[in-house]
Amino acid sequence: MNLSFFLFFAFVVISLILFRFQRKKYAFHRKRTDLLTNLPNRRSLEQFIEARTTPLNLPIAVVVIDLDNFNWINEKYGYESGDSVLVEFSERLAFSAPAHSLAARIEGNKFALAIPGTYSREEIQTMLTDQFLSLQSPFYISGAPVHLTFSAGVSLAPEDGRNGHTLLLHAERALRHVKHHGKNNLVLYNTSFQRQDLELQLAMSFRSALQNGEFFLCYQPKLSIHSGKADSVEALIRWNSPVHGTVSPALFIPVAEKNGFIFDLTKWILQEACRQMKKWSETNHTFQRVAVNISAPLFLSDRLPEMIRDILHDCKLDARFLELEITETAVMEDFQNACRIITLLKKEGITISLDDFGTGVSSLTHLKNLPIDTLKIDKSFINEVHTSFEDKALVEMIIQLANLFGLSVTAEGVEKQEQLNVLLKLGCDSIQGYLISRPELPDVLDAYFTEKKYGS
């Protein structure tokens, strides 16, 4: 009796131990495995990569794969059929994976491979292209063949990253590049993809940045050589983002132009600049005009004249206080349309400057027929005007050309007294640059004005 009880008790204890062990084993399995495909999940993948990179610095290739247009399967055949395709794709992927590698499902219709070993970029491209052929066979849904394509991004350790997080991040960046450029391809990570990601993030932040007041204007004075006064300023936009930090206009302006946000952004700049100019005009300030840069997409649209008319009306600002700077490239993109728009703006009483002159391809005939007021000589010609005979001759020629056509001339990027001395002798009308002032907030410029640092 005692022996029987002991054996029964031992059986119960052992069963409990085995049950708890199986539960732990199942829980461990669930944490590391994708339940639909039974492949390792993202967590297992990261641990697999990390074990070979961070402590050992061993080479490994990380491949992230996405089934193109997979939502179409779910919508046309239903989610159950979509799941069956994912299961079959996972089986094909695991079967075609190189020895000692790990195939994983990391989310939705996105899979990954981690392939230990040393590979050149050409070798991994060739190897994966060959091995992925088996993945391209048709899938059968309800007896009908369905052909799916897939896109893949690849990163290599150690050149593209030395830990699992970075390698996966870069492989996914390469994948996004493929998805944005036609899909159905395999691409290795390139450092330029990081900039593309940043540009995408900036584009997605524009609206909220404008609403949250992250953009602001600084103003850079232009000094009239004839009067010795800073009689106008150029409005220059700045962006201080809580997410991206200080973002250079050289980076975010092209992105804004590319995605169409430049229209709203320029409208805001014009509104802010005109409001500030209205304040200056009411205080007998030395600044008699504010200049705003207009990008080619907006300048060549019919929206600009009406937009400016409305802004001037809302700000109760006379048009003579506003100057628009347009680039030579924008004018030459559509010369007839440019002339038409400039004529409309000039009828309102607005001053027009041709910015970055000398960097474009405008002919003398075009310049003669262009109804503008000012030529702004590009900084690239001013940098060495005091040391280079060629640059000095070019600047002199531009000034003489402007005089011939009755245009004033502003030299950009003047930073040295020696440059100013040459420009004085050549008959330049006004200058702009760090020699006079960096772009500053209105309060700073007002303080300078009070101290008569810009003349009075």
Side-chain angles (χ1 to χ4, degrees), residues 78-99:
Y79 286 93
E80 186 175 341
S81 295
D83 286 347
S84 68
V85 169
L86 293 175
V87 170
E88 185 176 346
F89 183 84
S90 69
E91 293 170 352
R92 294 184 188 184
L93 182 65
F95 180 78
S96 66

Side-chain angles (χ1 to χ4, degrees), residues 43-110:
R43 183 175 182 180
S44 294
L45 177 71
E46 290 176 344
Q47 290 174 349
F48 182 86
I49 300 169
E50 200 71 25
R52 286 154 180 77
T53 53
T54 303
L56 303 175
N57 201 29
L58 294 174
I60 192 169
V62 177
V63 189
V64 178
I65 306 162
D66 185 84
L67 295 178
D68 298 329
N69 307 313
F70 183 76
N71 284 340
W72 175 80
I73 295 288
N74 288 329
E75 292 169 3
K76 183 174 179 62
Y77 298 102
Y79 286 93
E80 186 175 341
S81 295
D83 286 347
S84 68
V85 169
L86 293 175
V87 170
E88 185 176 346
F89 183 84
S90 69
E91 293 170 352
R92 294 184 188 184
L93 182 65
F95 180 78
S96 66
H100 311 298
S101 63
L102 180 76
R105 182 191 181 205
I106 53 180
E107 63 179 0
N109 54 294
K110 190 179 289 184

